[in-house]
Amino acid sequence: MKAAVLYETKQPLVLEDVDLDEPKAGEVLVKVGAAGICRSDRHFMHGDARINLPAILGHEGAGTVERVGPGVTLTKPGDQVILSFVPACGRCKSCLAGYSNLCDLHMATGPFMLDGTCRLHKNGQDIHHMGKVACFAEYAVVPETGCIPVSADVPMDIAAMIGCCVPTGVGAAVYSAQVQPGSTVAVVGCGGVGLNVIMGAKLLNAAKIIAVDIRESQLEFAMKFGATHSVNASDRDPVAQVKELTGGLGADYTFEVFGSAETIKAAYDMSAKRGTVTVVGIAPMDTEASFNAVDLVRNEKTIRGTYYGSARSRNDMPAMVELYLSGKLNLDDLVVRHYGLDQINQAYDDMDQGEVGRGAIVFD
Ligand code: COD
Ligand code: ZN
């Protein structure tokens, strides 16, 4: 099958034929229908996040089940499925405690399947599976718990979004921060994931949702998803601007959705007394972020991280599908660019250029 392979960081993905094994016990072969262009893959391409190489990236995907391995009961051939990049084992401490987004077995096995081996190869060499999804390819072998059946009424590109940016962003507001009605919210970084944080805050009836970005185009686009105000961080100190928009108080809930020490500090500094700062972005490895220790205590602030929106894929993705189908999540306006797999490097260049909204690779 055709796939886009990352051999070396800071080099383009290589489009070539690779071998894919049959699904083993508990695994499923999926024909990929769509794959989202998310900044997280870019972090691996740039070497800001580490993955064993060579690897096939792509962790925001959806497709159709083609064949299932022995013992699979959660899905069957013909099902349309959303792929989860944290397929949970259901048995570890994190899964048992209800935090399947942090599954210990998944984390321990990283870019290998849950049994610690690869299904992807080229000339006898293993190729690693990003998030056990690796959907920048025509087909993917994934654990059955990473397949979330979805109605065929949901277009493939939208289903793919519900595999990453929707749960990561909406979940950060709904499950992690639990934004309260009437509160003020500031979202630093309004790309594909940040727009979903905005939609999550709108869903929970936040009164004021301030979009913060360095690009005017992203700020304008954010208005379509529920932002009520915007702050251009390249014009003037974003902290001062958010304070001005909140009567000098700062925002009750702030979100960092880019991944840098600078934006984490900004999200912290623009939060209100008793405010909650939720960090979604993963900064480059070894980054240390800082905040004023006195302010933390005297103003009773909370700072927390969130991974995959603290969502439990098999429970919460179907809920997000329902929110989309009932018109409460504007995912139709989110995906604005479509590409073939052979245009994948262009798709990432467009993201770097600051094109608004989400891009998606679509397969016939
Ligand atoms: N201030 C404000 N906004 C900024 C700044 C700044 N200094 N610098 C850049 N931005 C804006 C950009 O203009 C852009 O609009 C936005 O930040 C980033 O958007 P995208 O579309 O490039 O990125 P996303 O939305 O696809 O991804 C953002 C993440 C935070 C998810 C990603 O970068 C990340 O850290 N991923 C790892 C975290 C994770 O959970 N990964 C799992 C799968 S996502
Ligand atoms: Zn992602």
Side-chain angles (χ1 to χ4, degrees):
M1 65 160 181
K2 281 263 176 307
V5 186
L6 178 68
Y7 281 98
E8 244 187 285
T9 57
K10 302 190 171 70
Q11 294 298 318
L13 301 177
V14 178
L15 203 78
E16 60 180 7
D17 286 315
V18 303
D19 302 322
L20 180 63
D21 297 340
E22 282 297 310
K24 291 196 176 173
E27 296 175 355
V28 173
L29 174 71
V30 175
K31 184 178 190 304
V32 179
I37 301 297
C38 178
R39 179 163 295 279
S40 299
D41 304 292
R42 201 50 153 177
H43 293 326
F44 290 106
M45 293 180 215
H46 283 162
D48 289 336
R50 200 175 290 129
I51 188 166
N52 306 46
L53 297 179
I56 293 178
L57 305 179
H59 62 281
E60 181 173 84
T64 310
V65 174
E66 186 101 351
R67 279 196 290 285
V68 299
V72 168
T73 55
L74 295 174
T75 186
K76 59 182 189 310
D79 282 355
Q80 185 166 315
V81 291
I82 297 169
L83 303 176
S84 167
F85 63 84
V86 183
C89 75
R91 294 157 178 251
C92 70
K93 191 168 190 295
S94 298
C95 283
L96 292 176
Y99 310 122
S100 63
N101 61 316
L102 304 179
C103 173
D104 302 342
L105 181 62
H106 168 73
M107 299 287 179
T109 48
F112 297 88
M113 299 302 281
L114 290 168
D115 70 356
T117 64
C118 293
R119 303 291 165 271
L120 291 160
H121 318 274
K122 170 95 182 174
N123 301 328
Q125 183 186 22
D126 280 344
I127 301 177
H128 303 85
H129 303 237
M130 178 177 176
K132 300 178 179 59
V133 172
C135 61
F136 290 159
E138 292 175 313
Y139 291 87
V141 166
V142 301
E144 66 170 322
T145 56
C147 287
I148 289 82
V150 57
S151 150
D153 296 344
V154 180
M156 277 290 177
D157 55 348
I158 303 280
M161 299 298 119
I162 301 174
C164 171
C165 65
V166 179
T168 302
V170 173
V174 174
Y175 305 126
S176 316
Q178 301 181 14
V179 168
Q180 294 299 301
S183 58
T184 53
V185 171
V187 179
V188 183
C190 299
V193 180
L195 294 172
N196 278 282
V197 176
I198 291 172
M199 282 191 267
K202 181 180 176 200
L203 204 60
L204 296 183
N205 295 313
K208 215 174 247 186
I209 304 174
I210 305 169
V212 183
D213 205 288
I214 49 173
R215 291 193 162 97
E216 204 53 48
S217 53
Q218 312 278 26
L219 294 171
E220 261 168 49
F221 194 65
M223 296 293 174
K224 278 192 180 190
F225 301 89
T228 58
H229 297 75
S230 67
V231 158
N232 190 328
S234 58
D235 286 350
R236 200 156 59 79
D237 176 23
V239 174
Q241 294 190 69
V242 168
K243 290 222 164 136
E244 282 161 24
L245 288 169
T246 51
L249 300 174
D252 301 320
Y253 298 91
T254 69
F255 295 87
E256 192 282 344
V257 205
F258 173 66
S260 74
E262 178 201 347
T263 43
I264 292 171
K265 180 156 172 44
Y268 179 87
D269 288 342
M270 64 179 64
S271 67
K273 211 175 255 189
R274 302 209 85 235
T276 299
V277 183
T278 304
V279 181
V280 178
I282 299 187
M285 286 178 294
D286 308 324
T287 299
E288 303 260 324
S290 69
F291 52 82
N292 184 289
V294 177
D295 174 74
L296 177 77
V297 177
R298 290 189 67 111
N299 290 318
E300 291 197 356
K301 290 187 178 179
T302 300
I303 177 163
R304 65 164 295 180
T306 176
Y307 188 64
Y308 220 156
S310 312
R312 297 149 301 163
S313 300
R314 286 177 55 207
N315 189 66
D316 300 331
M317 285 181 185
M320 293 186 186
V321 169
E322 291 306 319
L323 287 170
Y324 164 68
L325 290 173
S326 59
K328 296 192 175 73
L329 287 179
N330 176 16
L331 306 184
D332 290 323
D333 284 339
L334 189 64
V335 192
V336 287
R337 289 177 302 286
H338 293 92
Y339 304 90
L341 184 61
D342 55 342
Q343 296 170 297
I344 189 152
N345 290 304
Q346 180 64 47
Y348 273 96
D349 289 345
D350 290 349
M351 190 188 72
D352 286 348
Q353 293 304 311
E355 294 282 346
V356 297
R358 203 60 151 185
I361 306 288
V362 284
F363 299 79
D364 334 302

